[in-house]
């Protein structure tokens, strides 16, 4: 995806520097949270806390963004910039990425692939280094925070973050997947609970799109 000639060298250099700054010394990729910290250059600003945008930028859908993927994504944005009026650019671009995302979600196995990608995306957010709890099938609270923001849970469900976290943990406890009386589970939600929630999210959105609500 992309043509290196369409991206101004100043933006290319800026993204390389931002990538180095945000990835740190312990990894060779950016997470969804890292992307949200990219500093805009000139009048170019993109909302990386947008689900369709993240789906587009993570080309191989492994939940991580490499420098190659970041540059390729910027090239697509540069190509499409001339198609929109300046004041409509961000809104139109997000709309384009959202449509492209839902085209893939509605394909055979599309929902399954989307849910798997989304869970990988939030799994990588937050806690650095080895995490035995995450290796055992749990997602850290930092990843839940990212999920809450990306899915606009407070706006769509009326649930502030802590209420959302409590709800997910109670579901996990009811399913026998964790014991909330044990401190080691305080900051975690079972992967299985998030998978079920993500599947329901897709089902609701697909129904809404069929009715013309999205």
């Amino acid at each position: 995806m992309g043509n290196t000639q369409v991206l101004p060298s100043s933006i290319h250099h800026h993204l390389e520097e931002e990538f180095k700054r945000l990835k740190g010394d312990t990894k060779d990729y950016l997470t969804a949270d890292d992307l949200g910290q990219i500093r805009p250059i000139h009048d170019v600003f993109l909302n990386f806390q947008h689900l369709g945008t993240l789906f587009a930028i993570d080309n191989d859908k492994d939940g991580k963004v490499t420098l190659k993927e970041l540059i390729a994504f910027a090239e697509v944005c540069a190509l499409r910039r001339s198609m929109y009026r300046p004041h409509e650019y961000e809104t139109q671009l997000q709309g384009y990425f959202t449509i492209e995302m839902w085209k893939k979600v509605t394909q055979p196995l599309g929902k399954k692939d989307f849910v798997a990608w989304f869970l990988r995306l939030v799994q990588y957010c937050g806690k650095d280094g080895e995490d035995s709890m995450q290796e055992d099938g749990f997602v850290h609270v930092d990843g839940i925070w990212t999920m809450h923001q990306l899915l606009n849970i407070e706006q769509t469900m009326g649930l502030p973050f802590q209420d959302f976290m409590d709800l997910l943990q109670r579901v996990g406890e009811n399913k026998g997947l964790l014991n909330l009386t044990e401190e080691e589970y305080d900051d975690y939600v079972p992967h299985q609970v998030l998978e079920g929630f993500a599947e329901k999210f897709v089902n609701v959105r697909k129904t809404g799109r069929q009715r013309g609500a999205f």
Side-chain angles (χ1 to χ4, degrees):
M1 145 170 99
N3 177 342
T4 55
Q5 295 181 347
V6 304
L7 191 65
S9 59
S10 61
I11 295 180
H12 194 290
H13 176 73
H14 175 76
L15 291 176
E16 286 184 332
E17 291 300 308
E18 286 295 279
F19 185 88
K20 291 177 184 177
R21 179 178 71 86
L22 293 167
K23 77 178 182 63
D25 299 325
T26 60
K27 61 186 194 292
D28 58 358
Y29 60 87
L30 299 183
T31 66
D33 287 345
D34 294 331
L35 290 169
Q37 299 178 58
I38 290 180
R39 292 179 292 215
I41 180 172
H42 305 314
D43 62 340
V44 179
F45 175 80
L46 290 173
N47 178 13
F48 288 108
Q49 297 303 301
H50 176 262
L51 196 59
T53 300
L54 290 171
F55 191 81
I57 194 172
D58 185 10
N59 190 50
D60 61 7
K61 303 298 180 283
D62 66 350
K64 303 176 288 186
V65 174
T66 63
L67 178 59
K68 182 178 179 180
E69 287 176 321
L70 182 61
I71 296 299
F73 173 78
E75 290 166 359
V76 171
C77 293
L79 279 170
R80 299 196 69 83
R81 189 172 180 82
S82 62
M83 302 178 186
Y84 311 128
R85 295 172 180 170
H87 65 281
E88 297 177 341
Y89 175 66
E90 183 178 350
T91 301
Q92 293 284 2
L93 197 61
Q94 287 182 2
Y96 167 73
F97 290 139
T98 299
I99 290 170
E100 292 300 304
M101 178 182 73
W102 284 108
K103 282 181 182 178
K104 294 184 179 180
V105 172
T106 54
Q107 292 176 357
L109 300 179
K111 182 176 78 170
K112 180 180 178 181
D113 290 342
F114 173 86
V115 169
W117 164 75
F118 184 71
L119 294 179
R120 284 192 289 269
L121 188 77
V122 299
Q123 183 89 35
Y124 283 113
C125 292
K127 202 167 185 180
D128 293 329
E130 296 183 4
D131 186 341
S132 60
M133 289 292 289
Q134 294 203 139
E135 292 174 1
D136 290 339
F138 291 83
V139 176
H140 188 257
V141 63
D142 291 341
I144 309 304
W145 170 261
T146 300
M147 184 178 195
H148 184 267
Q149 298 301 301
L150 288 176
L151 301 185
N152 297 315
I153 298 299
E154 187 160 5
Q155 292 85 349
T156 59
M157 297 179 61
L159 289 175
F161 173 70
Q162 191 56 55
D163 291 348
F164 180 61
M165 180 75 177
D166 292 344
L167 173 64
L168 295 176
Q169 288 189 317
R170 286 198 301 272
V171 171
E173 187 170 49
N174 291 339
K175 290 178 176 289
L177 300 173
L178 79 166
N179 184 348
L180 291 176
T181 63
E182 299 180 16
E183 290 186 8
E184 64 178 324
Y185 294 109
D186 284 353
D187 294 332
Y188 294 90
V189 171
H191 190 279
Q192 184 177 327
V193 172
L194 297 183
E195 183 176 14
F197 183 87
E199 288 176 351
K200 290 180 180 178
F201 167 81
V202 172
N203 290 337
V204 169
R205 283 300 184 103
K206 285 173 69 175
T207 301
R209 285 179 64 80
Q210 290 166 358
R211 293 175 179 171
F214 295 91

